[in-house]
Amino acid sequence: MRRSARFGVGLGVAALVLTALSATSPSTAGEDHDRVVARVPATWTPIVEDGGGVWGTATVGNVTVVGGSFTRVRARGAANAVTRNNIFAFNSNGTISNTFVPTIGSRVWDIVPAGDGVSVFVAGQFGSVNRVSRTNRIARINVNTGAVMTTFRSPGFDGKVMDVELKNGRLYVGGYFSVVGGQPHTALVALDPNTGALTNHVDLTFTDVFRSSTTATIPSGFSGVGIERFAMTPDGSRLIAVGNFRNVNGQSRIQVAMVDTSGATAALTDWSTTRYSTTCSGNFPTYTTGVDTSPDGSYFAISTGGAFNGGANSGTLCDSIARWETARSGAGQQPTWVDYLGGDSGTAVHITGSAVYIGGHFRWTNNAYCGDCIGPGTVKRSGMAALDVRNGLPLTWNAGKLPLRWGVMRFNSTAEGLWIGHDGTTLGGQPAGRVGLMPLVDGKILPDDDTGSLPGDAFQLGRVVAPTGPSPIVYRVNAGGPEVPSTDGYANWAADQDASSAYRNSGSNAASWTQGFGRNASVPTATPTEVFADERWDPNGDPEMQWDFPVTTGVPLQVRLYFANGYDGTQFPGQRVFDVSVEGQTVLDNYDIAADVGHSTGTMKSFNISAAANDGNVDIDLGHVVENPLISAIEIVRPDIVPPPPVGDDDVYRTGLTETAAGTTTQVGNGNVDWSSAHGAFMADGRLYNGWADGTFTWRPFNGTTFGTPRDINLNGLTAFASELTQMRAMWFDRTTGRLYFTLNGQNTLYYRYFTPESLVVGGVRFTAPNTGSGINWSTVRGGFLANGKLHFSNSDGTLQTVQWQSGAVPGTVQTLSGPSVDGHDWSTGALFLRAP
C-alpha cells in the first residue's frame, strides 16, 4: 500500500497460530486499508430502532453479529421490526437471521470472531446466555444457530467484561471485575479459548480509582477499579489498557498501562506517562474512553472525554485523541501528536492503514484552545472524523452522525470497510440506525504528498534588491543579546553582551528567554522579533541604568525603545513598573509592560528629538519603581531621511541540482505573479504552496514552466499563522511527519505547524523544532526544502547548504553545495522550493 509504505504505517497483520482453532487469529487492530472509506454508508444493513446503541460487531464468513443494548431490529425495506434482545445477526445482503436468536438479558459490550469460522466470543454484563450455566459475562456462540458452544465454559466474573481479544492461543479479557473463577484477579485475565479455563498467563494487580477531580465523589453505578478498553499489537506482543486505575503491581500507571504479553507470563513494561494524571472538569472515574493499535503495531491512539480544561494551554489531554509510539520505553512518555476536540468527548478510536478514525459527541477537531466554542484553526466535524495518521489533523472525510448522543461506541474494520456501532440514527446524512458500514470500495486513496527529490530543479521566486542611498539608521542595539541580522538591508542590530559598553553605564545584567514572542502593531515590520528574546535589566538602581549615544548635532532624530516582558515572575500587571526618560524628560511614567501589552509580547515606544533640541548626545535613563527596569532594544533613526521603497522583481529562476552540485540557472516565465511578495514556498504532488506578505496562504498547480490559477487556503480563523506568514522567510514540508517547518524574520528559531495537503488544514498549535545538531542560525536562513534525507537551505550570504535531517533535528555537519564563491550562484533572495511532479 503506497501510503503505508511512504509514511511508516503498517503493511500487514501477522498470522498467528492458535491451538485447536483456525490457522490465524482474528485481530481487532485496524485492517490495512489502502484508502479512506466512503462517506456514505451501505444501504443494505439493518436498522436498530431502539436502545442505548451498538457496542460491538464481528464478521464471520458472510454473517455479521451485532451486540449492544436494544430490543428491536428492522431489515431495510421491511415494514415491521423483529424482536432481538441485545444481539442479532444478518448475512451479506442484510437479511436478519431467524436462527441466531440467543437469549441475552443484559448489555453486550464486545464481540470478536472465535477463529474457527463458525462462532464468536460475546462479552458483557449478562449473567447467562440461553439459560446455559457457566456463560457468566462471556460465551462462545455459533453464528448460524445461535447455540452456545458448551465446550467453552466461562470461569465466572464478579463484574462486567468490557473488552475481549484473541491472540496467540489466548483469549484476553478486560473489564471491571476483581474475582474470576473464585480467585482474585482484577481487570485483566487470559483464558483458554477452547475451554474457557483461567490461565496463569496474566497475574497483574490494578488498584486505586482515578478521579478527574480531587473533589469528585464516586458516581452512582460505579463498577470498581478496572479496564475500560484495551488493544493489542497484531503480533500479540503488547497490550495497552486504559481505565480508571492509578497503579499496576504497585507502580504508578495512571489511566494507561502497557503490558508485555510475548512471554509465558505477561509483565508490566516500564512505559509510562503522566499526561493522563492531570485533572479534567467534572466527576469522571476515568476519562480515557478508547484505545487502538496500528496495523503494524508501531503506534497506538487513545481517545478521552472529561470536558475542556485548558486544551493545549494546560497540557492536559481531556477531550482529545493522542498518538503514542509503541517501541518507546521508560517514564515520562509524550504523545507524538494530539488533536483537541474543543471540550467535547471522544468515545472511540480505530486505526487502519490510511486513517485514525475517531467517534464521539464532538462538534469540532483541531480545536486546541477553546471549550464549547470555535477556536483558532477549528474544523467542523460532527460525531466522527478521519485523522491524518502523521499529525492528527482532520482529512476531508466528513461522514458525521446526527443527532449527537453519546457517540460512537466502537469501530471495526474488515475487508468490506468500516463498521460503526453508535447510538444515533444516521451516518453521512443517511439512515443507519445504531449500526452501519462505510464501504471501502467507494473510498478515497490519499495522495502521496511527494515533495520532490534530487536530481531535480530548484526555483527562486522573485528578488528584493538592497536599498540604495543614505541610511536612515543611526544606531541599532540588541540590548542584552547577540548581534541580530537586519531584515531590510540596513545596519544589523549590534550585540550588547559585554559587562562594559561604550553606550551605557555598568551595573546592569543581561537575560535571555526561550519562549516565542509575539509583537503588537507598534513594532515596525523590519524589526526582527528576535530582539525581544533577550533584555538588559538593572538589579539595584545604584546608579540607575543610563544609555548615551553620540550623534551629529542639528539633525532631527527619533528614538525607538523596544520592550517585552519575558520573565514569568513579572508576567502580571503591577509586578514590574519603571520610569523612562529621554534627554532628561520623563517619557514613560510608571510604565508597566504587562499592563500595556501582556506577557511575552513585544512593543515599541517612539520619541522625537527636533533638530534644534539635538545637542550631540542622546541620553536615555531607566528608573526603578517596582522590581527592575528593562529594555530589549534601542534604535535611533533619522526621520528626515526617507528610505526608498523596497525594490523587487517578479522574476523566476530555475537551477538544476544534484546531491553534490548546482547546474545552469535559467529564467522562466513568472505567470504575471507578484513573486516579490511571496513569503516561503514548497511543492507537493504538483501543487505549489506559498505564503504571502499579506498573511494569506495559497496553492496553485505548477508543471515546471506554467503557473496555474491560485486557490486560497482557508486558515479557519487561525490569525496567529496569518501573522506568521507576514514575517515568514523559509518554509518546507516534511511529508513523513506532516509538519510544515518555517523560519521568521530575525528569529534564530525553527518553528513548525502540522499541515495536511489532502484537506488543506493547518494545525492550530505552533511548535518549536528541537535545537539539536549543527547550530544553524535560523535567522539567516532564506529558504529551504527536504530531499534525499537532507535539508537544503539558502542563507543570507548567498550560499545553498545541506545537512542531515531527522524530524526537525539537524545532526551532522553543514556542507556548502553552491554559492557566490563556489560556483557563482546567489541563493540569498527569492522564495526557494524544489519542484515536485
Side-chain angles (χ1 to χ4, degrees), residues 7 51 100 121 153 183 244 271 280 417 435 527 543 672 691 769 781 808:
F7 300 135
F100 183 91
F121 291 109
R153 298 166 62 85
Q183 303 176 35
N244 66 2
W271 188 100
C280 291
V435 66
T527 301
N672 297 317
V781 173

Side-chain angles (χ1 to χ4, degrees), residues 25 53 56 99 168 314 322 379 428 452 457 609 617 639 693 761 774 781 791:
S25 292
T99 59
N168 294 348
S314 68
V379 177
D457 290 331
I609 300 174
N617 185 80
V761 174
S774 61
V781 173
L791 169 65

Side-chain angles (χ1 to χ4, degrees), residues 603-795:
T603 187
M604 187 274 290
K605 306 295 181 182
S606 63
F607 310 99
N608 293 322
I609 300 174
S610 68
N614 180 355
D615 59 4
N617 185 80
V618 174
D619 174 55
I620 304 168
D621 301 321
L622 293 91
H624 283 72
V625 178
V626 177
E627 228 269 349
N628 301 310
L630 67 81
I631 191 163
S632 298
I634 300 172
E635 186 179 31
I636 301 176
V637 302
R638 290 274 302 272
D640 59 323
I641 299 177
V642 179
V647 178
D649 66 42
D650 301 325
D651 295 337
V652 177
Y653 298 92
R654 178 180 61 221
T655 304
L657 287 179
T658 68
E659 292 192 64
T660 57
T664 303
T665 296
T666 57
Q667 187 171 348
V668 299
N670 66 7
N672 297 317
V673 179
D674 178 17
W675 293 115
S676 64
S677 298
H679 284 198
F682 73 91
M683 279 198 76
D685 289 337
R687 290 181 171 186
L688 173 61
Y689 296 84
N690 281 103
W692 297 92
D694 63 359
T696 58
F697 191 31
T698 66
W699 73 268
R700 73 183 75 218
F702 179 57
N703 62 9
T705 57
T706 303
F707 295 97
T709 303
R711 280 85 156 178
D712 286 336
I713 295 174
N714 185 358
L715 299 184
N716 298 302
L718 192 55
T719 57
F721 184 60
S723 178
E724 290 159 1
L725 287 166
T726 68
Q727 297 292 315
M728 201 168 289
R729 280 290 194 181
M731 137 188 336
W732 58 86
F733 181 66
D734 187 340
R735 65 190 294 267
T736 62
T737 59
R739 296 175 181 179
L740 177 59
Y741 288 87
F742 56 91
T743 64
L744 299 177
N745 275 349
Q747 297 193 43
N748 187 19
T749 304
L750 179 62
Y751 299 104
Y752 69 87
R753 289 180 181 272
Y754 294 133
F755 178 63
T756 295
E758 189 270 344
S759 59
L760 300 176
V761 174
V762 179
V765 180
R766 187 182 78 177
F767 301 91
T768 299
N771 187 16
T772 303
S774 61
I776 296 171
N777 183 354
W778 299 109
S779 68
T780 66
V781 173
R782 295 295 182 259
F785 57 85
L786 298 176
N788 303 50
K790 293 183 178 181
L791 169 65
H792 300 70
F793 62 98
S794 58
N795 265 302

Side-chain angles (χ1 to χ4, degrees), residues 536-561:
R536 183 158 291 281
W537 60 281
D538 184 4
N540 51 41
D542 187 19
E544 299 283 13
M545 191 193 314
Q546 300 174 347
W547 295 78
D548 290 282
F549 295 93
V551 295
T552 301
T553 59
V555 297
L557 299 171
Q558 184 178 80
V559 178
R560 299 172 179 175
L561 305 181

Side-chain angles (χ1 to χ4, degrees), residues 314-341:
S314 68
T316 63
L317 296 182
C318 316
D319 291 331
S320 72
I321 311 295
R323 168 176 166 163
W324 305 81
E325 305 307 309
T326 310
R328 294 177 183 170
S329 61
Q333 293 298 314
Q334 298 296 322
T336 305
W337 52 253
V338 180
D339 190 329
Y340 289 95
L341 304 178

Side-chain angles (χ1 to χ4, degrees), residues 5-68:
R6 294 292 181 96
F7 300 135
V9 183
L11 295 177
V13 178
L16 304 174
V17 177
L18 280 181
T19 303
L21 293 175
S22 69
T24 59
S25 292
S27 173
T28 58
E31 289 279 328
D32 190 26
H33 288 165
D34 68 344
R35 68 197 68 192
V36 178
V37 296
R39 302 184 189 189
V40 178
T43 58
W44 53 268
T45 59
I47 301 292
V48 177
E49 291 192 335
D50 68 345
V54 167
W55 290 87
T57 66
T59 299
V60 177
N62 70 342
V63 176
T64 296
V65 182
V66 177

